[in-house]
Amino acid sequence: ALVDPATKIKFDDNLGSLPLFGVGVRKKGPIKVYSVGMYSDAEAKSSISSVSKSNKAGALSALRDSLKSTNQTTFLLKMNFKVGAEKMAAAIADSVSPRASNNAAVETLKKLILDGVASKGAATPGTILQFDCSDEGVKVSVDGSEIGTAPGLRQAFCDVFLDDKGVSPAFRNSCVDNCCS
């Protein structure tokens, strides 16, 4: 298991058959909003195991490439701070939007998050948002209940966490440290 050092939130080594790649905190100013953990195919993990940790940019580029050929990459967001449903949905959609070409799919994603979180009032500490990214799109679940799937968006969603402007530098560093040699 890996523990996010910033929030002390723990992530299991595996989610079903998918191994954990890394964990990190999403901050908004001084507030630690959530910890994120990413799970994906063991093949993708082994494909980057020979990449040197010292070449962080190369390692992250290899990781993004390896995830394109996986069946599924899952991001688990474990809340550390209370965020209203509308704000949570808008924040994630606003991160995905500049990385996506299909605005309707982004709106669908936003509505799925809003519906899932609104059913419990807010994303309170301990709430788990799960995003399963596959060729079909991004499947949204809240606390284990599947809400629905936004079509496409797989790459855009992955890039929110893994590209150069990713929302959690600590997460990117953790992936490199945990997966590369």
Side-chain angles (χ1 to χ4, degrees):
L2 287 177
V3 174
D4 180 348
T7 60
K8 308 294 181 249
I9 294 174
K10 185 179 138 196
F11 289 83
D12 293 335
D13 287 331
N14 294 286
L15 184 69
S17 63
L18 303 177
L20 179 63
F21 280 57
V23 302
V25 67
R26 169 67 163 124
K27 289 182 175 174
K28 202 70 178 157
I31 298 168
K32 299 168 188 169
V33 183
Y34 60 78
S35 291
V36 57
M38 183 184 80
Y39 297 83
S40 194
D41 290 5
E43 296 80 57
K45 196 169 184 178
S46 64
S47 76
I48 60 166
S49 62
S50 59
V51 178
S52 170
K53 286 179 188 178
S54 61
N55 176 8
K56 197 160 276 178
L60 287 166
S61 174
L63 175 57
R64 282 203 307 274
D65 286 344
S66 74
L67 294 178
K68 287 176 187 164
S69 60
T70 63
N71 290 326
Q72 181 176 312
T73 298
T74 294
F75 292 89
L76 274 192
L77 277 56
K78 297 187 178 187
M79 297 303 296
N80 185 60
F81 188 84
K82 182 178 178 181
V83 180
E86 185 69 52
K87 197 168 190 176
M88 191 71 199
I92 293 175
D94 290 349
S95 294
V96 174
S97 186
R99 296 169 169 94
S101 52
N102 184 340
N103 286 336
V106 174
E107 284 304 310
T108 299
L109 178 68
K110 184 176 178 178
K111 185 177 180 341
L112 292 170
I113 298 166
L114 179 62
D115 291 350
V117 175
S119 67
K120 48 182 293 157
T124 50
T127 300
I128 298 175
L129 286 80
Q130 179 169 330
F131 299 91
D132 298 325
C133 305
S134 68
D135 288 342
E136 286 81 62
V138 177
K139 183 169 78 177
V140 179
S141 302
V142 177
D143 288 339
S145 297
E146 186 181 323
I147 310 301
T149 301
L153 299 185
R154 171 193 192 143
Q155 194 61 48
F157 198 93
C158 288
D159 285 348
V160 166
F161 295 98
L162 290 165
D163 71 15
D164 300 335
K165 296 182 183 76
V167 299
S168 174
F171 167 75
R172 292 199 309 278
N173 291 339
S174 173
C175 288
V176 171
D177 290 342
N178 196 39
C179 298
C180 301
S181 51

